[in-house]
Amino acid sequence: MRNDYLYRLNKKYMATDFLPLNGTDYIEFYVGNAKQSALYYQHCFGFELVAYAGPETGVRDRASYVVQQHKIRLVLTSSLVPGSDINKHVDKHGDGVKVLALWVDDATRSFQETLLRGAVAVQEPKKLADEFGEVVVSSIQTYGDTVHTFVERKNYKGAFLPGYKAAKSQFKSTSVGLRHVDHCVGNVELGQMNKWVKFYEDVMGFKLLITFDDKDISTEYSALMSKVVSNGNGYVKFPINEPAQGKKKSQIEEYIDFYHGAGVQHIAVATDDILHTVSELRKRGVEFLHVPEVYYEDVMKRVGHINEDLEELKKLNILIDRDEEGYLLQIFSKPVQDRPTLFFEIIERNGAKSFGKGNFKALFESIEREQALRGNL
Ligand code: FE2
């Protein structure tokens, strides 16, 4: 009886979820110097080099380094020739995210179903093969110049994708305990948030999880609005931000000005032990936003009991928030390139499924201090 019920429920779910996702497959950055970026992620963030494509593997126009930590896979790509699309992307946006790749069982169907619902095609389903098997990839456009690539790899056993060879670095990196991508946030232009939320709902079958308006997220100067969309199983979550009217320039506007359009603002990566992860990251040179001591004076009243020692969290400047289901610990890096664009969030969830709303004010005041230093407030 119960099995029958589950069967029908599953069938119904499969019928309604036209874009089943297994999670994030990889995140590809277009950068000015992939060799150096790859070493930055190995040395500072504890990733390990696992694959490479470039002249040595028969790719003449680019070099790509694939670094991995548990389930998180980043690809750093640079052009080897002038005038390429990679160069144009870097020229306009600086170093930034080009591809948010999604792991699927059927990349052809993912492409067809999303195109049917209004997606703009970037890459028709294409079979790639080498001695380790075959992969099917397809791509559609999302906000700005960012792309979603569907990756079907059930018949593949290689290091990354055909065209790449397994690689190892001379540099011995050690993991800092990062586990998986928790969410990836997009910044879009003023008035564009609802359009992109609708895109994820209509074209990709995502559901709206949470809405933050400018009353939730405003400081004396800066304001923004945000909506979080999630796929059916919750493995893929995309908050979308747009600037809101404040006394001075919103941090989202600063991003849009320097990125010259919409793009990925931050990638949140999950850890099971944020104290260990953040102390390692700090030791290795990763810079974080600073929240003043006063934040910790009344934080315990707000969040109640937590398992960690507050002094330890304070020492590392880690933020705390609670929702109905539990609490979370989080911290935000400074931008990881010279333009004030992409940054990372490190998050440890202890039951909480939210995004740290209780920390927004303290956090945004901290961002504004940095904005002021850059002369952009
Ligand atoms: Fe976040």
Side-chain angles (χ1 to χ4, degrees), residues 283-319:
K283 251 188 259 168
R284 299 174 190 203
V286 176
E287 296 176 315
F288 293 97
L289 285 176
H290 182 75
V291 171
E293 293 253 315
V294 55
Y295 168 87
Y296 293 94
E297 279 170 20
D298 54 17
V299 70
M300 296 315 276
K301 272 181 254 153
R302 180 161 64 78
V303 300
H305 175 76
I306 56 168
N307 300 327
E308 291 73 13
D309 176 8
L310 183 67
E311 281 308 311
E312 293 283 303
L313 294 170
K314 191 170 156 182
K315 214 165 68 194
L316 292 166
N317 218 235
I318 293 165
L319 308 178

Side-chain angles (χ1 to χ4, degrees), residues 182-185 239 265-268 330 332 343 345 347 349 355-356 360:
D182 187 277
H183 59 276
C184 291
V185 182
Q265 178 213 35
H266 76 266
I267 299 164
Q330 62 185 171
F332 295 82
F343 59 89
E345 171 182 352
I347 184 166
R349 294 186 180 279
F355 296 85
F360 287 170

